[in-house]
Amino acid sequence: MENLVEIRNVTKRLNGFALNEISFDIKQGFITGFIGPNGAGKTTTIRSIMNLLKPDHGEITLFGETHERATKQIKQRIGFVYDENYFYDDLTIERNKRIIASFYENWDDDRFYHYAKMFQLPVMKQVKKLSKGMKMKCSLAMALAHDPQLIIMDEPTSGLDPIFRRELLDLLLEILQDERKSIFFSTHNTTDLERVADFITFIHEGSIVFSEEKDRVFERYVLVKGTKQQLPEVKTLQLVGLKESEVGFEALLANRREVPESLGQTLKFEKPMLEDIMYYTARGN
């Protein structure tokens, strides 16, 4: 599988926070979900990929190039959907579109109006009069109008109603019918990623916990429940996090295969959600 983006040993210190030599890939033809608690380093990582922040150490390559050598060419091939509004508030969507279109060699007005119609965007309305959800739809239409090869999305479903969220996920899967394209999708709505992501990258306190195929994550991690009498033996395993009660415990294990057969017959096992993995990793023991 070809990597559209390769991040190698990137360190960035910023206002008391640091990315700690992070490394992972964004593979061509797939959706990579990017998860982590608030303050974990997601935005710093995305801004570094986009060359809005310069890493202190390490290297980021996109399409085989670095921003130092070819930033203009790189950004022509990226569609970026922000989690905040960066349009001119006093201008209409149409006026904003004309300004943004001038920066892209492959801008396609027909493509933009196709998405504007799909998203029911009032193109003659001032941006400041749009709801948060409409602003996000506007960002999507702008990002997709120049047919980017890499789509980077920071909280794209924030503020969207459940119906459009599902429609957006369907749209992302449709976009990936073109196997040259990739989507990097940062979100707190982990159920969205459980539906559509192929790979998951999890960052916590500035370090990468894992970056691998989603199915392998769910094969490896497991939630276990049991009695207090079973807890001492469970604590000898790869325990990610633990929650105790008066009658028993619930814990997340990093490797289901290491559970002894004798213990496995009496414990209750459940498949974790991505939210469970985030919660127990942040909570610890």
Side-chain angles (χ1 to χ4, degrees):
M1 290 180 286
E2 182 179 349
N3 298 327
L4 287 194
V5 181
E6 295 183 350
I7 298 171
R8 295 292 180 266
N9 303 315
V10 166
T11 297
K12 178 65 183 178
R13 289 178 170 80
L14 186 70
N15 299 327
F17 171 80
L19 293 179
N20 303 311
E21 295 193 358
I22 66 169
S23 298
F24 67 92
D25 304 320
I26 301 174
K27 298 188 179 297
Q28 182 173 330
F30 297 95
I31 296 176
T32 298
F34 194 35
I35 64 173
N38 287 333
K42 298 190 300 299
T43 298
T44 302
T45 301
I46 290 173
R47 290 175 67 85
S48 298
I49 293 172
M50 289 297 298
N51 201 36
L52 300 174
L53 290 174
K54 300 283 187 182
D56 299 329
H57 302 286
E59 184 177 67
I60 300 174
T61 59
L62 300 94
F63 317 108
E65 289 286 356
T66 65
H67 281 288
E68 287 70 27
R69 294 193 299 260
T71 191
K72 183 177 179 180
Q73 293 88 337
I74 287 170
K75 290 182 178 179
Q76 289 290 323
R77 299 169 71 179
I78 296 176
F80 196 5
V81 181
Y82 297 86
D83 63 338
E84 297 179 18
N85 173 42
Y86 286 91
F87 299 115
Y88 294 101
D89 265 350
D90 290 328
L91 300 183
T92 63
I93 295 175
E94 176 68 26
R95 290 286 300 279
N96 272 281
K97 184 269 296 183
R98 293 177 190 176
I99 294 169
I100 293 170
S102 65
F103 291 98
Y104 291 100
E105 298 169 0
N106 294 328
W107 185 273
D108 186 337
D109 262 4
D110 289 339
R111 187 183 296 270
F112 170 79
Y113 290 122
H114 165 76
Y115 288 117
K117 183 178 180 181
M118 177 186 296
F119 302 157
Q120 298 180 323
L121 287 176
V123 294
M124 302 312 295
K125 197 170 187 177
Q126 288 177 302
V127 169
K128 66 182 179 183
K129 295 180 180 179
L130 300 176
S131 66
K132 184 177 181 181
M134 275 295 175
K135 288 177 182 177
M136 183 57 70
K137 293 177 183 181
C138 181
S139 293
L140 279 167
M142 299 284 189
L144 297 174
H146 64 284
D147 194 25
Q149 187 175 359
L150 172 63
I151 301 165
I152 297 177
M153 313 177 83
D154 190 1
E155 294 291 338
T157 57
S158 175
L160 298 180
D161 63 75
I163 294 174
F164 186 76
R165 276 178 56 199
R166 291 294 294 269
E167 290 175 348
L168 171 61
L169 299 181
D170 289 342
L171 173 62
L172 298 183
L173 294 173
E174 182 181 316
I175 288 170
L176 284 190
Q177 295 301 308
D178 182 345
E179 295 181 355
R180 298 177 303 112
K181 299 182 184 295
S182 297
I183 297 170
F184 187 58
F185 188 163
S186 170
T187 182
H188 285 107
N189 291 320
T190 54
T191 53
D192 293 341
L193 297 180
E194 288 169 4
R195 286 196 183 101
V196 301
D198 303 291
F199 293 84
I200 301 292
T201 297
F202 177 19
I203 188 169
H204 179 56
E205 295 182 343
S207 298
I208 299 298
V209 179
F210 59 75
S211 185
E212 58 186 298
E213 290 182 47
K214 179 184 67 180
D215 290 345
R216 289 187 179 179
V217 172
F218 289 130
E219 287 172 3
R220 184 160 53 85
Y221 283 89
V222 64
L223 274 176
V224 296
K225 297 179 181 179
T227 65
K228 279 189 172 293
Q229 289 72 30
Q230 295 168 308
L231 186 54
E233 192 168 357
V234 168
K235 283 184 175 180
T236 66
L237 307 177
Q238 291 187 47
L239 194 64
V240 176
L242 172 67
K243 183 171 64 175
E244 296 184 62
S245 68
E246 293 183 0
V247 296
F249 70 90
E250 179 179 283
L252 182 72
L253 300 181
N255 188 355
R256 179 171 185 164
R257 294 181 180 178
E258 74 164 5
V259 179
E261 186 175 347
S262 58
L263 185 61
Q265 291 174 354
T266 57
L267 288 172
K268 180 180 180 182
F269 292 91
E270 292 181 4
K271 177 182 175 181
M273 300 177 69
L274 289 174
E275 185 176 302
D276 296 319
I277 296 172
M278 287 176 55
Y279 169 73
Y280 278 106
T281 300
R283 178 188 176 98
N285 294 332

